[in-house]
Amino acid sequence: MVTQSPQHRFDVIVLGAGASGLMCAAIAARRGLSVLVLEKSNKVGKKILMSGGGRCNFTNHFVDADNFISANPHFCKSALTQYSQWDFISLVERYEIDYEERKHSQLFCVGSAREILDMLLAECAAGGVVIEDHCNVESIGALPPAASSAQNAARYELTLREDGKRRLCCHSLVVATGALSIPTLGGSDYGYEIARQFSIPLTERRAGLVPFMFSDSLKAVCERLSGLALEVDLSCNSHSFVENILFTHRGISGPAALQISNYWYPGGELVINLLPYREAASWLLQEKQEAGRALLRSRLQQVLPKPLVLELQALWWAELADKPLAELSDQRLVQIGELLNCWRVKPSATEGYRTAEVTLGGVSTDALSSKTMEARHQPGLFFVGEVVDVSGHLGGFNFQWAWSSGYVAGMNV
C-alpha cells in the first residue's frame, strides 16, 4: 500500500479500508474528487478476506428491508434502492469474477474472496484514490465555519499519530471504521467515539450473528455432541429460522443460532423444534400403533442423529429407555413429542464480540440522512457500513449494506 501521500488537503478522507470505505472511496473518486483512505491496521479489507470461509458471501439475489435490523426499519430502503444487489452483481460480472448461488440465494465467489477485494482496489486505483495503512488518527476537528464557508473548502482537520504529527484536511469526512465485532480483524469503538465528539446519538450496541454458550447441565451435553449438525426450527421473541444448528464445546452455533442471536437478550430462552416438519406427538402415537415392540430411541434414530437421541433419552425418558413403545403411555409419548417440537433452553450468554459477525446498534439513524448518509447537524460528516445502526441477517446482507451505504455516501460527499 501507499505509505504516505505528499498531499495534505483532500476533497474526501475515508476512515477505514473495509467494504463500505473502499466502495465509498471508489465512487467519490469516479466523480473526480481527490480521496484519501486511512486504515489503522496493517492490511486493508481483512473482513472481506475472511468472510464466507474465504469465498466472500458478497450479496444475495433477494434483498429487502426485512432482511435488516434497525431502530428505524425504513432507513435502509433508500440506500438499497439507490445501489441494489443487481448493481453490485453487475460490477462483479464486469470484472469476470466467477460466482455461485448457494442455499437461500446467497452469492459466493467460486474462487477467493481476494477477487472482491482486488476489484474494489482496482476501482479505487482507477480514480486515483490514495490508500494508507498503519494510520492512527490522533484527533479530528471541525474547522471554523468562516474558514469552511467557500464551496468545497476544507471543513475538517485530522492529526495523525506520527513523528511530526502530520496534519490533513478535507471537505468531507467519511466514517467507515466498522464496529466492535471481531477485534482481531480491527473491530473497535472508534467510530462511536467520533459520533460522540460531534454529539451524534448512539443506540445500544450488542453482539449479533454470534454463537451461544451454556453454563448449566446442557453445556456437558453440547460438549459431547460437539461437531454434530442438524436442521431445526430455532425461535426466540416471535422470530424463527429453519436452518442448521451446530453443537460446539461451548454451546450451539450454525446458521440458525447465528440468525436468532440477533433477537435474543440475556436471560431469555430459545425454543428448538428438533422435528420442524412433523408433529412429533402424533407421529409417536402412530409409531406406537405400528411398531409397538420397538424402542423409542430406535424409532427416533430414523429421523434424528443417534448421538443426539441418546442424549435426549438421558434427559427425558431414562427410566423408560429399555421399554418398548407399547408399554409407554400415550400421555408420556405426547409429553416427549411436545419436548421434541418445543425444547426450551436458556443460554448463559453469547460468545460476544470475539466471534460476532456484526455489531447490532450503533450510530442512530435519526441523526443521519437516509438519502446521503450525512449527519443531519454536522455538514460534511458521513457514516457508512457497520458503524451505523443497520445490521443484516446472515446471507450477504451486511455486505450489501456496506456496498449500498458506501455508494450513497460516495455520491454525496
Side-chain angles (χ1 to χ4, degrees), residues 337-395:
E338 289 173 347
L339 287 168
L340 290 167
N341 284 141
C342 190
W343 183 15
R344 296 183 178 277
V345 300
K346 184 178 285 189
S348 57
T350 68
E351 290 188 4
Y353 293 116
R354 183 181 64 83
T355 58
E357 294 193 20
V358 297
T359 301
L360 299 167
V363 173
S364 174
T365 56
D366 290 344
L368 306 178
S369 164
S370 63
K371 295 179 180 178
T372 66
M373 305 304 296
E374 185 176 21
R376 293 185 184 279
H377 303 298
Q378 189 63 46
L381 183 62
F382 296 74
F383 292 84
V384 297
E386 192 182 352
V387 72
V388 180
D389 174 28
V390 176
S391 301
H393 289 164
L394 198 67

Side-chain angles (χ1 to χ4, degrees), residues 59-303:
T59 192
N60 196 290
H61 264 147
F62 297 96
V63 178
D64 186 84
D66 290 342
N67 300 124
F68 297 87
I69 302 165
S70 172
N72 178 356
H74 303 290
F75 181 84
C76 65
K77 293 179 179 178
S78 177
L80 294 174
T81 300
Q82 291 184 61
Y83 192 84
S84 72
Q85 69 272 35
W86 307 112
D87 294 310
F88 193 77
I89 291 168
S90 294
L91 180 62
V92 168
E93 291 176 344
R94 180 152 60 85
Y95 276 79
E96 299 183 345
I97 297 173
D98 289 335
Y99 63 91
E100 62 185 2
E101 181 177 347
R102 296 188 190 173
K103 195 174 182 181
H104 303 306
S105 304
Q106 302 172 58
L107 301 185
F108 287 78
C109 294
V110 171
S112 165
R114 176 157 289 282
E115 294 176 277
I116 298 296
L117 177 56
D118 288 346
M119 175 188 74
L120 294 170
L121 292 175
E123 287 288 293
C124 286
V129 175
V130 177
I131 302 175
E132 299 186 22
D133 51 24
H134 288 95
C135 286
N136 286 300
V137 178
E138 184 171 271
S139 65
I140 298 172
L143 296 173
S148 60
S149 57
Q151 185 177 7
N152 217 34
R155 294 186 285 192
Y156 294 93
E157 183 178 69
L158 288 72
T159 303
L160 303 189
R161 268 181 229 144
E162 299 173 351
D163 293 340
K165 294 196 174 180
R166 186 160 58 116
R167 294 182 183 277
L168 302 166
C169 59
C170 59
H171 180 69
S172 295
L173 179 64
V174 182
V175 181
T177 52
L180 298 165
S181 51
I182 317 184
T184 55
L185 294 180
S188 76
D189 65 351
Y190 184 52
Y192 307 140
E193 291 177 12
I194 297 172
R196 290 190 192 98
Q197 177 184 341
F198 292 99
S199 301
I200 294 171
L202 302 170
T203 62
E204 180 185 359
R205 276 85 61 210
R206 57 193 179 89
L209 296 180
V210 61
F212 291 100
M213 299 190 297
F214 294 92
S215 59
D216 57 12
S217 58
L218 202 56
K219 183 177 188 294
V221 173
C222 292
E223 287 176 345
R224 290 191 292 271
L225 294 174
S226 183
L228 186 149
L230 76 156
E231 188 176 52
V232 303
D233 185 338
L234 189 60
S235 58
C236 175
N237 292 325
S238 302
H239 296 272
S240 67
F241 294 91
V242 179
E243 255 287 11
N244 276 5
I245 59 169
L246 172 69
F247 289 95
T248 73
H249 65 284
R250 291 189 183 92
I252 57 172
S253 185
L258 299 184
Q259 296 276 42
I260 207 66
S261 70
N262 288 344
Y263 301 98
W264 179 84
Y265 291 87
E269 285 186 329
L270 301 177
V271 178
I272 307 173
N273 182 351
L274 293 167
L275 296 172
Y277 303 113
R278 67 176 74 210
E279 205 279 307
S282 298
W283 175 68
L284 290 178
L285 292 175
Q286 184 178 343
E287 289 294 300
K288 177 180 177 179
Q289 293 297 318
E290 297 178 359
R293 297 173 65 180
L295 298 176
L296 176 54
R297 66 172 174 268
S298 69
R299 307 312 290 173
L300 283 174
Q301 284 168 17
Q302 295 180 10
V303 293

Side-chain angles (χ1 to χ4, degrees), residues 43-57 108 112-114 117 182 184-185 354-357 399:
K43 131 175 16 171
V44 304
K46 282 186 174 182
K47 215 166 181 182
I48 296 173
L49 293 175
M50 63 78 67
S51 66
R55 296 291 178 85
C56 190
N57 178 196
F108 287 78
S112 165
R114 176 157 289 282
L117 177 56
I182 317 184
T184 55
L185 294 180
R354 183 181 64 83
T355 58
E357 294 193 20
F399 271 128

Side-chain angles (χ1 to χ4, degrees), residues 30-49:
R30 185 199 296 174
R31 296 172 51 221
L33 303 177
S34 59
V35 183
L36 171 66
V37 179
L38 301 177
E39 170 58 45
K40 69 174 183 178
S41 70
N42 62 344
K43 131 175 16 171
V44 304
K46 282 186 174 182
K47 215 166 181 182
I48 296 173
L49 293 175

